[in-house]
Amino acid sequence: MTRDNLGAALKIRIRPEQEGTVAPVERSLAEAYASRETAWPRLVCDGDEVVGFIMGNFEFDSPIDFFQCGIWRLNIAAEHQGKGYGRFAVRELCEEARRRGAKRVTVLWEQHEYGPEEFYLKLGFRPTGQVFEGEIVAELLLD
């Protein structure tokens, strides 16, 4: 994220039916600012074109185990969904987690007809059995 690409980041819009399943980029950037020691906000680009946004959090001393290393947000622009950008973004976040010494990455989702559950399950995330504020907690063990 830079001053130069902030405008493009703020234009990212998911599909209308997905509204409410993930916070918009502007909220994520505000949270990243408030958690700048631990937040990891990144744009997903194809060449010079911004196609999405991912934000992880690396807070290994968090007392809540599923907040120690995880995906906080993934927003892929509606017109770019289904092209592999989301998989790429998650893979890159997992690589960053490995570099930092993590053994697992977590993600939370709310059950919703148009939510991301199927996407994360296809990537290998598995529900832990925990539910936090109505959201399913899932994990991907890193090798």
Side-chain angles (χ1 to χ4, degrees), residues 90-101:
V90 170
R91 187 173 61 242
E92 290 302 305
L93 186 140
C94 289
E95 285 303 315
E96 180 65 20
R98 280 186 189 95
R99 279 191 288 281
R100 293 175 183 233

Side-chain angles (χ1 to χ4, degrees), residues 37-40 42 58 60 95-102:
E37 295 83 26
T38 61
W40 192 78
R42 297 292 187 270
F58 302 107
F60 295 111
E95 285 303 315
E96 180 65 20
R98 280 186 189 95
R99 279 191 288 281
R100 293 175 183 233

